[in-house]
């Protein structure tokens, strides 16, 4: 009698294990999602009084160079002037190419504008292994 119960229990366990394996429950989890996390729309640094970076993105210029479009907003109660500073780094063949460029911006209270900052770095190289730091001072 015990032998029949043992065989029946063993058969149930084997069937359940087979279903679990088919369902992928025994495989190790593979990470999913993009290989690089999305960029934060927050400024990486903000020192301009009342001025804030609300968004930035990298785009390819007509000549294949890296352009950085930065959205700046004046959250203060009076007109403000600041300098948008973009530092772009490209790593290729074990060495870094770094370029820092800037653009001055003046905004009235509550105004928002897009500033395009041009670099001499290749957009293609940047898109493969680059990073950006954007700040306003």
């Amino acid at each position: 009698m015990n032998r029949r119960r043992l065989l029946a229990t063993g058969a149930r366990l084997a069937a359940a294990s087979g279903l679990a394996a088919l369902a992928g429950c025994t495989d190790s989890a593979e990470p999913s999602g993009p290989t690089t996390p999305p960029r934060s729309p927050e400024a990486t640094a903000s020192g301009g009084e009342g001025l804030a970076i609300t968004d930035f993105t990298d785009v390819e210029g007509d000549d294949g160079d890296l352009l950085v479009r930065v959205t700046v907003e004046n959250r203060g109660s009076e007109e403000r002037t600041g300098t948008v500073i973009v530092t772009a780094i490209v790593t290729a063949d074990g060495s870094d190419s770094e370029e820092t460029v800037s653009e001055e911006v003046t905004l009235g209270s509550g105004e928002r504008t897009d500033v395009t900052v041009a670099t001499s770095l290749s957009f293609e190289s940047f898109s493969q292994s680059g990073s950006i730091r954007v700040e306003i001072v």
Side-chain angles (χ1 to χ4, degrees):
M1 194 68 125
N2 285 336
R3 190 167 96 179
R4 285 185 186 165
R5 188 179 311 157
L6 178 64
L7 290 174
T9 302
R12 281 191 220 114
L13 284 174
S17 298
L19 288 177
L22 289 175
C25 296
T26 59
D27 292 339
S28 61
E30 293 287 328
S32 63
T35 56
T36 56
R39 291 195 177 99
S40 168
E42 297 299 319
T44 53
S46 181
E49 186 72 28
L51 296 177
I53 296 170
T54 59
D55 194 17
F56 65 92
T57 186
D58 54 279
V59 294
E60 184 173 8
D62 292 337
D63 55 359
D65 289 345
L66 169 67
L67 303 177
V68 181
R69 288 203 180 121
V70 182
T71 303
V72 181
E73 180 178 60
N74 183 354
R75 296 179 179 168
S77 59
E78 55 190 56
E79 182 176 276
R80 302 283 184 185
T81 299
T83 304
V84 175
I85 301 172
V86 174
T87 302
I89 301 171
V90 174
T91 303
D93 300 327
S95 65
D96 289 343
S97 297
E98 181 176 324
E99 184 174 353
T100 300
V101 289
S102 62
E103 187 76 31
E104 190 171 293
V105 62
T106 300
L107 294 172
S109 176
E111 288 184 345
R112 170 184 258 186
T113 191
D114 289 329
V115 177
T116 301
V117 182
T119 72
S120 62
L121 298 173
S122 161
F123 179 79
E124 183 178 340
S125 296
F126 173 81
S127 63
Q128 293 174 4
S129 63
S131 63
I132 300 176
R133 176 179 167 81
V134 179
E135 60 185 325
I136 189 160
V137 292

